[in-house]
Amino acid sequence: MEEDEDDHHRRRRASHSRRIMKVVGQIAKPRRAANINRIRKRRGLIPEPKIMAALRMLAYGASTDQVDEIARMGKTTVLESLMRFCSAIKTIYTNEYLRKPTPRDMRRILRKGEM
């Protein structure tokens, strides 16, 4: 009779423990937030890491292997970012800095050269 009581007590304790663990599991379980339609226009990586990858390659002479490990991008993405960055800089500054010198610019340059 005493064994039956002990057995009953153990089963009751185990069932209580299971219920507690179930409740704790429900509390601790990360809940998923409702889906919100954010209408994202850009897919893939945002521009900032791509620009940083291009700048690293230009500033430090880093290879694509080094940059893709740091930025966690593919080699082709890193190279494409570098090409786009360079073409954007060229487009922006060509008219001002890579134009043919005017006669006034030539006189200024020659004066500096004489000094």
Side-chain angles (χ1 to χ4, degrees), residues 31-56:
R31 294 209 172 113
R32 187 174 165 178
N35 289 336
I36 298 170
N37 187 7
R38 292 190 171 89
I39 308 172
R40 297 183 192 259
K41 294 180 182 177
R42 289 181 313 197
R43 293 183 121 194
L45 297 167
I46 56 177
E48 288 83 1
K50 291 180 179 181
I51 292 170
M52 288 306 299
L55 288 174
R56 276 194 177 103

Side-chain angles (χ1 to χ4, degrees), residues 46-69:
I46 56 177
E48 288 83 1
K50 291 180 179 181
I51 292 170
M52 288 306 299
L55 288 174
R56 276 194 177 103
M57 287 186 77
L58 292 170
Y60 304 122
S63 68
T64 54
D65 291 330
Q66 294 168 331
V67 174
D68 76 345
E69 286 179 15

